[in-house]
Amino acid sequence: MTLTLDQARTIISTTRAKGREMGLKPLSVVVLDSGGHVLAFEREDGAAPGRFAIAQGKAYGAVMLGMAGRAQMARAEAQAYFMAAVNGVYGGQVVPVPGGVLLRKGGVVVGAIGVTGDTSDNDADAALAGAASAGLDAEA
Amino acid sequence: MTLTLDQARTIISTTRAKGREMGLKPLSVVVLDSGGHVLAFEREDGAAPGRFAIAQGKAYGAVMLGMAGRAQMARAEAQAYFMAAVNGVYGGQVVPVPGGVLLRKGGVVVGAIGVTGDTSDNDADAALAGAASAGLDAEA
Amino acid sequence: MTLTLDQARTIISTTRAKGREMGLKPLSVVVLDSGGHVLAFEREDGAAPGRFAIAQGKAYGAVMLGMAGRAQMARAEAQAYFMAAVNGVYGGQVVPVPGGVLLRKGGVVVGAIGVTGDTSDNDADAALAGAASAGLDAEA
Amino acid sequence: MTLTLDQARTIISTTRAKGREMGLKPLSVVVLDSGGHVLAFEREDGAAPGRFAIAQGKAYGAVMLGMAGRAQMARAEAQAYFMAAVNGVYGGQVVPVPGGVLLRKGGVVVGAIGVTGDTSDNDADAALAGAASAGLDAEA
């Protein structure tokens, strides 16, 4: 199964709506496909200009390692030099904290969401709402 | 004036609709702000996975140089080493062909659109429709 | 459809066998998935040590642009600065000559083969034999 | 002595068979030559797309430093800034954990194996089986 642009747009609009409902700061939301490539992105008004790279970095690490943000953070806390090395081999594109959410369908990874703007845990909660709206299984 | 996300979304949806009306191949459309940073992006189903970087490269050069795609292409054809050098100082992020469209309001650059997927000229035409839909002056 | 490792191995062994049948120099053969990521690679004895990057570069450009090696070469010959710019946005990973062969199933790109070692045209011919052995449509 | 492609293929197939026998997650296995350059690689179905870079990074550090994964990890734990500096000079290509296994013949380094997919220790155990199958001395 390949994520469609319509699914990515649904994920982004639901993630943003969840952010408004939770009273979060302006969010930036990216959806990557199963190869880690950008399908769609939106940055809400008031967010800092560099948010695309943070959102992408959360989602990119999830896809490339097959490991969502919380698992990446646990590994970084247990073995910081390992996640630093991983970032080296991936060109510095990995941001190993919650907000990077793996998307699965039938057990297979079909992409990832990356959310940034509020606390990492709130970012992840908003992303989970987005994943559910597209009928996908999610791992935060 | 600062481009809003709603404006960027309008630009993208109109650019895509224009592409469908013109019968173009699947398009990828990015909108950057006046600092060259990503506001929103969509890649249509069937587009190659690497299209984000091409779209961004068209728009990024436009913002950073204050020079739209056609002018960049003319300069590249007249003086290839100059555009190669420009790419050096901008980290290789500039794609100097049509499809990078500068956005102005009251004479001031407020951002750029980058479109890729069909011929460079068709990409630029679709982007111009997008710019008009947001009430902005455009230079292709 | 996702390329399997068994398909990639079949492609590589058939490409290599074709190279021997054609009397080519030692070949290096990579198979990438639909996201441009390495599935399998083999470098024949006697090939120069740097051949992995050349093989990968031929296949990577094909996947990322949705454009096989011959089309990339035509574009590079018509508009050299464009392919140079494309290489910039893809981190210098694109080698735009024959030997990068797109793989499709039912019209959808499922990956690419990259072959290097002999002339670019011979590299491409060997890759086409590999693609056929896995029951895939190929564009050289 | 120079590693042959046939040896590299034997190493990979035995490493993979050992992984299946141990019930490990899908493995990705690379074999580098004595210059740190890729000879052969396979990524098993179900492995995350970014596994090539991790496997290569484990083996590359082993060859370049003449120090296998466990020794690299010990050094990283004792002196993290040293391994960070090493990564700087090697372009960020070193992943200093078990799974990078040095290959020697008659005391001389002839290459390295890099394995990733399960725990680092299990990755290393599978690689040792691969090394033995090619009649080489191994250091994990």
Side-chain angles (χ1 to χ4, degrees):
Chain A
M1 181 212 158
T2 301
L3 275 186
T4 64
L5 175 55
D6 279 346
Q7 284 179 301
R9 286 164 50 95
T10 298
I11 289 169
I12 290 176
S13 64
T14 310
T15 300
R16 291 180 54 200
K18 183 68 176 181
R20 299 293 68 73
E21 178 195 320
M22 294 170 71
L24 306 187
K25 293 180 189 167
L27 298 182
S28 300
V29 186
V30 77
V31 177
L32 306 186
D33 66 19
S34 62
H37 304 294
V38 189
L39 265 175
F41 172 77
E42 294 187 5
R43 185 181 100 210
E44 294 188 328
D45 298 339
R51 289 290 170 179
F52 171 77
I54 305 289
Q56 186 185 32
K58 289 186 179 187
Y60 187 73
V63 170
M64 292 300 275
L65 292 164
M67 190 189 295
R70 285 196 215 288
Q72 289 181 62
M73 186 169 73
R75 185 75 185 258
E77 289 180 348
Q79 205 176 7
Y81 63 85
F82 174 76
M83 286 308 295
V86 163
N87 237 329
V89 297
Y90 293 148
Q93 297 298 303
V94 175
V95 180
V97 294
V101 169
L102 269 180
L103 299 172
R104 287 197 181 88
K105 188 74 184 181
V108 176
V109 174
V110 295
I113 310 172
V115 179
T116 181
D118 206 275
T119 67
S120 293
D121 283 335
N122 284 340
D123 294 341
D125 285 349
L128 287 174
S133 72
L136 299 168
D137 298 321
E139 177 189 334
Chain B
M1 180 214 157
T2 301
L3 274 186
T4 64
L5 175 54
D6 279 346
Q7 285 179 298
R9 286 163 48 93
T10 297
I11 289 169
I12 289 176
S13 62
T14 309
T15 300
R16 289 181 54 200
K18 184 69 177 178
R20 296 294 68 71
E21 179 195 320
M22 294 171 68
L24 306 187
K25 293 181 188 166
L27 297 182
S28 300
V29 187
V30 76
V31 177
L32 305 186
D33 66 19
S34 62
H37 303 294
V38 190
L39 265 176
F41 173 76
E42 294 187 5
R43 184 180 100 211
E44 293 188 326
D45 298 339
R51 290 289 168 181
F52 171 76
I54 307 288
Q56 186 185 34
K58 290 186 179 188
Y60 187 72
V63 170
M64 293 303 274
L65 292 163
M67 188 189 295
R70 286 197 215 287
Q72 289 180 63
M73 185 169 74
R75 187 71 185 261
E77 289 179 349
Q79 209 176 9
Y81 62 86
F82 174 76
M83 286 308 295
V86 162
N87 244 327
V89 297
Y90 293 146
Q93 296 300 301
V94 174
V95 180
V97 295
V101 169
L102 268 180
L103 299 171
R104 288 197 180 88
K105 188 73 184 181
V108 176
V109 173
V110 295
I113 310 173
V115 179
T116 183
D118 206 276
T119 67
S120 294
D121 283 334
N122 284 340
D123 294 342
D125 285 348
L128 287 173
S133 71
L136 299 168
D137 299 322
E139 176 190 334
Chain C
M1 180 211 160
T2 301
L3 276 185
T4 63
L5 176 54
D6 279 346
Q7 285 180 297
R9 286 163 50 93
T10 297
I11 290 169
I12 290 176
S13 62
T14 310
T15 300
R16 290 180 55 201
K18 183 70 177 179
R20 297 294 68 70
E21 178 195 319
M22 294 170 69
L24 306 187
K25 294 181 187 166
L27 297 182
S28 299
V29 187
V30 76
V31 177
L32 305 187
D33 66 20
S34 62
H37 303 295
V38 190
L39 265 175
F41 172 77
E42 294 187 4
R43 185 180 100 211
E44 294 188 327
D45 298 339
R51 290 288 170 179
F52 172 76
I54 305 289
Q56 186 185 34
K58 290 187 180 188
Y60 187 71
V63 170
M64 293 300 274
L65 292 164
M67 190 188 296
R70 285 196 215 286
Q72 289 181 61
M73 186 170 73
R75 186 73 184 258
E77 290 180 346
Q79 206 176 9
Y81 63 86
F82 175 76
M83 285 308 294
V86 163
N87 237 328
V89 297
Y90 293 148
Q93 297 299 301
V94 175
V95 180
V97 294
V101 169
L102 269 180
L103 299 171
R104 288 198 180 87
K105 188 75 184 179
V108 176
V109 173
V110 295
I113 310 174
V115 179
T116 181
D118 206 275
T119 67
S120 293
D121 283 334
N122 285 339
D123 293 343
D125 285 348
L128 288 174
S133 71
L136 299 168
D137 299 320
E139 177 189 334
Chain D
M1 180 214 158
T2 300
L3 274 186
T4 64
L5 176 54
D6 279 347
Q7 284 179 299
R9 286 163 50 93
T10 298
I11 289 169
I12 290 176
S13 63
T14 311
T15 300
R16 291 180 54 200
K18 183 69 177 179
R20 296 294 67 73
E21 177 195 321
M22 294 170 69
L24 305 187
K25 293 181 188 167
L27 298 182
S28 300
V29 187
V30 76
V31 177
L32 305 186
D33 65 20
S34 62
H37 303 293
V38 189
L39 264 176
F41 172 77
E42 294 186 3
R43 184 180 102 212
E44 294 188 328
D45 298 339
R51 289 291 168 180
F52 171 77
I54 307 288
Q56 186 184 32
K58 289 186 179 189
Y60 187 72
V63 170
M64 294 303 275
L65 292 162
M67 187 190 297
R70 285 196 215 288
Q72 290 180 61
M73 185 169 73
R75 187 72 185 261
E77 288 179 349
Q79 207 176 9
Y81 62 86
F82 174 76
M83 286 307 295
V86 162
N87 244 326
V89 297
Y90 293 146
Q93 296 300 303
V94 175
V95 180
V97 295
V101 169
L102 268 180
L103 299 171
R104 287 197 180 87
K105 188 74 184 180
V108 176
V109 173
V110 294
I113 310 173
V115 179
T116 182
D118 206 275
T119 67
S120 293
D121 283 335
N122 285 339
D123 294 341
D125 286 348
L128 288 173
S133 72
L136 299 168
D137 299 322
E139 176 189 334

